Amino acid sequence: MKDSKLDSVCPDLSTYNSLIHVLCLVGKVNDALIVWEELKCSGHEPDAITYRILIQGCCKSYRLDEATKIFSEMENNGYNPDTIVYNSLIDGLFKARKVNEACQMFERMVQFGVRASTWTYNILIDGLFRNARAEAAYTLFCDLKKKGQFVDGVTYSIIVLQLCREALLEEALELVEEMEMRGFTVDLVTISTLMIGLYKHSRWDWTDKLMKRIRDGNLLPSVLKWKVDMEATMKAPQSNKKDHTPLFPSKGDFSDILSLISSAASIMDGDLESDDVGVKDDKISSTHIDQWSSSPHMDRLANHFKSTDHSSQLFSLSRGQRVQAKGESSFDIDMVNTFLSLFLAKGKLTLACKLFEIFSDTGANPVSYTYNSILSSFVKKGYFNEAWGVLSEMGEKVCPTDIATYNVIIQGLGKMGRADLASSVLDKLMKQGGYLDVVMYNTLINALGKANRIDEVNKLFKQMKSSGINPDVVTFNTLIEVHSKAGRLKDAYKLLKMMLDAGCTPNHVTDTTLDFLGKEIEKSRYQKASIVRNKDDP
DNA sequence: CGCAATTTTA
């Protein structure tokens, strides 16, 4: 039995490793895990490379429990995890909001004599910032700088970003100067960060200050020239472009949104088949349904579904692939993404679309980021037809959807009053090898909660915790609000306690939510008292 | 294996 499995038709270890690697790269981590099981039954022994690839794949897709399990298995089989394996795990733990576990993993790394690298420290600093531990992050940065090691351009970039977030622009500029003096290149990521920081805090006029701080290279001048050219092009009369063709035609058949929410189709079929504007089922006639329920669309949509192959939908695990900041080929789209973000942040949708159009015409290749930005803005404004049009175009341009795309779809469905379709969309996501991260859980909990589907909310919350992701401040705020509004005041209070016990620091949104909860509790006490006619104690 | 521009709460 064992021998026959090892004969020539059976894959060898390196074939298994390559296969697992590729599956992880294309986001099919579930399949990678299946191959992994197969490998273990094949008579081969996994090696350090197998373990590293799998742990990376699991961490990237928020399968932290799985990653931790494989990590233990690796050690039990006599392989010592190296720096890269530890780095992957620490990063994954931070991103799953498991701050304590991440720090413990770092301590363990040191304990076991595994050498921490600059990457390790960057992961630590970034992770601490992202988990509301700014003080610790700054301290670590200063310590490292004092020792004069484990600091590089990325470290500076992380700190500059944080300073921009805190509106400490002067400090950010100083740090950039220091960064350059120490011989680190101020790359496009850092420059974008600074530009966005300046713009957000209405300090465009500081670009000349920036010019003075960055003396090296011609990257900043190129960026500024790009901006000037772009503005000139946008001002110039758009010659033969006035044909009123919509930028993102949704074609009426919604083929792509449908293929995304394919498994929802059967539900929609039954639900909305006889849906005529005006003669609607009570439960869906209430508010936001108009765009969605225009039934000819629905019918075509449903029919189209039956004839479409949904298995080929592209999905990217590397969430909106980071475009490398070097290489002229990506420079244009990097700039487009940055400026789209600036325009959209100010609600300048028209300008954003124009920018997108101009650069589509020049043949610059939009990436998931680009589409997701515009998609999100359309959804936020309630332009659902245009939004689904963006999705179609993503499909046509063979641009993969990622978890942010799905997030926006769920948001959109929620706004349209169709949170009931969320679980079907999730099925589709999972079938594509997708995964849920903290933001996705938060979005889902919010959408379902607003639709008063509290049982589903609680189920998701449970699932979130059991799948190795810690709830964050947004999760708790949303949960408390949803339970308060549903009149489940005790549960809301329990959640508040859970939040504090978990060491999750409340923010200003928590305050607002607790105000509401407090009033509801007051109200219910008053009602109780007036009904029962006896007092309850404080 | 790490940093920007997309996705979450009032």
Side-chain angles (χ1 to χ4, degrees), chain A residues 499-513:
Chain A
M499 173 181 188
L500 299 174
D501 288 346
C504 181
T505 317
N507 61 14
H508 60 288
V509 181
T510 322
D511 294 340
T512 314
T513 310

Side-chain angles (χ1 to χ4, degrees), chain A residues 26 118 191 262 282 325-326 334 362 447 518:
Chain A
V26 299
T118 305
I191 289 177
S262 59
D282 271 358
K326 35 196 167 283
D334 285 344
T362 66

Side-chain angles (χ1 to χ4, degrees), chain A residues 249-269:
Chain A
S250 66
K251 291 188 301 187
D253 64 1
F254 295 102
S255 55
D256 288 280
I257 173 65
L258 181 67
S259 82
L260 285 167
I261 58 172
S262 59
S263 36
S266 51
I267 305 166
M268 294 190 287
D269 245 351

Side-chain angles (χ1 to χ4, degrees), chain A residues 206-231:
Chain A
W206 280 23
T207 30
D208 54 330
K209 279 194 179 190
L210 188 56
M211 277 294 268
K212 277 177 208 143
R213 308 271 181 153
I214 306 178
R215 324 191 63 86
D216 225 36
N218 53 5
L219 190 52
L220 182 58
S222 307
V223 169
L224 296 177
K225 181 177 183 306
W226 192 95
K227 176 175 174 284
V228 170
D229 290 348
M230 179 265 298
E231 283 165 345

Side-chain angles (χ1 to χ4, degrees), chain A residues 452-469:
Chain A
N452 239 301
R453 307 172 82 93
I454 309 294
D455 291 342
E456 285 166 72
V457 164
N458 289 331
K459 215 177 92 192
L460 267 174
F461 183 47
K462 217 184 225 166
Q463 184 192 320
M464 177 181 188
K465 288 184 292 185
S466 69
S467 71
I469 296 178

Side-chain angles (χ1 to χ4, degrees), chain A residues 399-435:
Chain A
C399 182
T401 55
D402 64 8
I403 193 159
T405 320
Y406 273 89
N407 204 299
V408 180
I409 292 170
I410 302 273
Q411 241 193 100
L413 289 174
K415 278 191 99 168
M416 293 165 89
R418 294 308 307 262
D420 57 307
L421 297 179
S423 60
S424 309
V425 178
L426 276 191
D427 282 349
K428 174 71 183 167
L429 171 64
M430 298 321 271
K431 272 195 200 112
Q432 275 187 50
Y435 59 95

